[in-house]
Structures are given as structure tokens and as C-alpha cells.
Amino acid sequence: LALLREQNLRSKALEYFVPHTKQLQFFQNADKPNRYGFAGNRFGKSVVGVVEDCSWLLGERLFFETSNPLRRLGIPTHGVKGLVLSEDWDKVHEIFTNKDSLDRPGKFFEYLPQDKIVGMSRTQKGIINSLTVSNRIDGRVRESQIVFDTVRSFINNPRSFESSDWDFIHIDEPIMQELWSAVSRGLIDRGGFTWWLMTPLGFPWMYEHAKEFSRADPENHWMFEATMDDNPTLDERKKEEYIAQ
């Protein structure tokens, strides 16, 4: 019974999600093709990124009322193909695609309704590297796919990143400019969107790029900065313990 209750809560996790103020601003700017968030640890950047990924896969943000324009702001009506870039495959498994742990599931298995997942593929080491999602919306079936890849894979084989088209790209870790140049070409044909959500350690070109373009072209680029203090769900004692380290 407890297991069934846990599974039911997880199937509703996206509907129950409540964005805090800075996260809400991220969704309020969802009509901008390029959104950049630079935040400290424990802000909730990976969570808000995955929530947006899942919303694009499903075609709407279930945590907003149907009458709220933010429910579908910026999301295409057609099925989409998205890319999530992380540091390495261990991080992909730990943060995003671990489906074997009830205590600490990957965030896609925490927020994506399980009955909407109709397919998945794995690497040779057994790590999930893509999910296919099907959802009925406005009376029709909408099928989407999310693909996971890594900075480490690019270092090993740069050419493998230049052959796919994307409706959206979610950058979860700082990356080298050459990798961004390779994957961002895939946004052109589909008029794709991107969101960078990371702790700005290393690769300062990303911060400078976001700052320059958000100032020069605010209709298409939006940037925010935040710290763990912007996350009201964090316990003050835990924050103090973290800072003391």
C-alpha cells in the first residue's frame, strides 16, 4: 500500500510542483528562445530545468491552471525532440535517469508521469540515454523524445554531435564553446529553444555570452542570477552547515 501511495504521488509530482520566485521568472520568460540561469548550489536549477524538459515533452506545464497563459508559453504544439547535456554518464544516471532507486530517483523519473513513458534506450553500460514520451493533448496523440549526452562523449568523439536537430537543448553543466557550436547548429532547422542552468564554474565564455546577448537582444535572450538564498525551501541550519564546509 505504501509503495502504491508513493507511485501515485510521483505520478502527480509535476502537477504538484510549486516554483519559487526566481523559478517562476524562468517560466514567465519561456517565450524567449534563449534563457540563461547562473546559480549557486542548492538553488534548484536542475529541478527547474527538468520540470521544463518534462513540460515540453508533454506539451504543457501541468502545475499551472489551464487558463494560465504560462501553461503552454513557448512550447510547440507538435511533438518535440530535446537534448540534455551533462558532465559524464555517471552524472546523467545520478541526476536524471536513475529509475531503480525509490529514495533518490533520477529527476525525470521523479517528475515525468510514468504512464507517459513509452520507450527508452540505454548505453552499453546500461545507463538510460533516451526516453520516448506519448501524451494525448487537445484530442490528439503527441509523441516526443529526450536524449541525454555528455561533455565526456564530445571529448571522445566531437563529430558525433553535429548530425541531429533539436527543438530544445538543456545545458546542465558548463561546457566548452566548441561543444556549444556543435550542438547549437541542431537548433536552426527547428527554430529550437535553449536553457542553460548551471553553477558558473569554469568556461567564463558562457557567462559573458549570456550577459552580452541578454543586454543586446532582450526579446530573444533572457538571463538571471541566483544563490541558494533564493530557494525558500532550504532549511537555514542546513545552509549554514553547507557554507561552513
Side-chain angles (χ1 to χ4, degrees), residues 41-52:
N41 287 321
R42 314 311 303 165
F43 164 76
K45 54 190 180 299
S46 292
V47 168
V48 76
V50 169
V51 165
E52 184 72 334

Side-chain angles (χ1 to χ4, degrees), residues 12-245:
K12 301 288 186 181
L14 195 60
E15 295 180 43
Y16 295 156
F17 176 71
V18 179
H20 59 67
T21 301
K22 277 287 179 75
Q23 291 175 331
L24 180 59
Q25 292 173 5
F26 175 77
F27 298 117
Q28 289 170 334
N29 284 276
D31 57 336
K32 312 293 194 304
N34 305 278
R35 285 174 286 170
Y36 315 103
F38 297 91
N41 287 321
R42 314 311 303 165
F43 164 76
K45 54 190 180 299
S46 292
V47 168
V48 76
V50 169
V51 165
E52 184 72 334
D53 298 340
C54 293
S55 298
W56 273 59
L57 294 174
L58 296 170
E60 55 187 348
R61 300 178 184 92
L62 300 177
F63 48 95
F64 290 123
E65 296 291 335
T66 55
S67 59
N68 190 328
L70 295 181
R71 188 167 172 110
R72 298 188 182 183
L73 183 65
I75 301 177
T77 56
H78 59 77
V80 297
K81 183 180 180 184
L83 172 68
V84 177
L85 272 176
S86 191
E87 182 178 356
D88 54 41
W89 286 111
D90 288 339
K91 287 294 185 184
V92 169
H93 176 73
E94 175 189 347
I95 298 172
F96 299 116
T97 66
N98 180 5
K99 70 183 297 287
D100 303 318
S101 171
L102 288 176
D103 295 330
R104 298 194 65 180
K107 287 182 170 55
F108 276 85
F109 289 95
E110 182 177 354
Y111 287 102
L112 194 60
Q114 301 300 290
D115 62 340
K116 305 298 183 183
I117 300 174
V118 296
M120 66 179 67
S121 64
R122 297 177 182 265
T123 67
Q124 292 181 342
K125 293 185 177 181
I127 297 173
I128 295 170
N129 62 359
S130 77
L131 294 169
T132 302
V133 173
S134 181
N135 187 38
R136 179 172 290 276
I137 184 169
D138 295 337
R140 62 182 181 84
V141 175
R142 183 180 183 276
E143 188 168 286
S144 298
Q145 184 184 39
I146 189 79
V147 176
F148 304 90
D149 220 320
T150 72
V151 174
R152 181 61 52 189
S153 298
F154 176 77
I155 293 172
N156 293 337
N157 185 11
R159 291 187 178 181
S160 66
F161 281 74
E162 300 189 8
S163 59
S164 296
D165 294 336
W166 309 106
D167 291 286
F168 70 87
I169 297 176
H170 169 192
I171 306 293
D172 185 66
E173 299 282 351
I175 62 174
M176 62 282 287
Q177 194 163 6
E178 295 81 4
L179 174 50
W180 174 245
S181 296
V183 296
S184 61
R185 295 188 190 105
L187 296 168
I188 297 173
D189 289 343
R190 294 176 180 247
F193 281 44
T194 185
W195 35 98
W196 300 357
L197 297 160
M198 67 193 72
T199 300
L201 299 175
F203 302 107
W205 78 268
M206 301 188 79
Y207 183 79
E208 294 303 322
H209 172 99
K211 185 167 64 174
E212 176 184 349
F213 279 89
S214 59
R215 287 177 178 174
D217 185 11
E219 290 187 5
N220 294 298
H221 300 261
W222 176 77
M223 173 182 171
F224 76 91
E225 297 179 75
T227 71
M228 68 171 68
D229 291 328
D230 292 298
N231 185 349
T233 66
L234 293 181
D235 180 85
E236 289 298 324
R237 183 174 59 84
K238 293 294 185 182
K239 285 164 58 174
E240 290 174 3
E241 289 177 358
Y242 176 81
I243 293 170
Q245 298 175 37

